Amino acid sequence: VLKLFKMLHRTRQEVFKNDTKALEAARQKINEEFRNNQDETSEEKINELLKIASDVEVILRTSVIQAVHTDSDRIVLIPRKDLLQDNTPYLDKPTKK
């Protein structure tokens, strides 16, 4: 449980780097969720909560991207290396192999 708690906070720090509002909101939400369930004794429920927390960590790491407003009509995206993937070009008529 502690390992997952720490992993969520590390992911939060990486995903929301330089965004103090998002960092604080994520910190509060992570702490609140773990605090609300700290007295849970059912092993089944604990495993379910750990699975949810693990899924949240993966979603944060692989799906969330930062964007910064530069002008009134411009946004700059700041991708992390975790998000960058090799892309296969789209083909209207794929060839069979």
Side-chain angles (χ1 to χ4, degrees):
V1 174
L2 185 58
K3 181 179 177 183
L4 187 56
F5 180 78
K6 288 179 179 181
M7 186 170 31
L8 275 166
H9 277 289
R10 280 189 217 106
T11 301
R12 165 191 71 91
Q13 289 173 336
E14 185 180 323
V15 169
F16 300 117
K17 188 186 246 178
N18 300 325
D19 186 350
T20 55
K21 284 184 180 181
L23 279 168
E24 181 60 22
R27 184 187 70 76
Q28 288 178 0
K29 185 63 175 174
I30 292 167
N31 291 346
E32 175 187 328
E33 290 298 323
F34 274 81
R35 197 175 303 113
N36 287 344
N37 295 297
Q38 73 182 4
D39 296 328
E40 186 61 54
T41 57
S42 166
E43 187 174 334
E44 188 176 297
K45 180 69 174 172
I46 290 170
N47 288 334
E48 179 184 328
L49 291 167
L50 290 174
K51 173 76 172 113
I52 291 169
S54 179
D55 291 347
V56 166
E57 192 275 333
V58 170
I59 290 170
L60 279 173
R61 187 171 21 88
T62 60
S63 301
V64 176
I65 187 166
Q66 282 184 302
V68 178
H69 286 277
T70 56
D71 293 330
S72 61
D73 61 344
R74 295 198 116 182
I75 296 176
V76 175
L77 299 178
I78 306 170
R80 293 179 319 283
K81 289 185 181 182
D82 292 347
L83 296 173
L84 300 177
Q85 299 176 359
D86 290 334
N87 196 3
T88 306
Y90 174 77
L91 300 174
D92 282 332
K93 296 182 182 187
T95 58
K96 290 185 180 180
K97 292 185 178 180

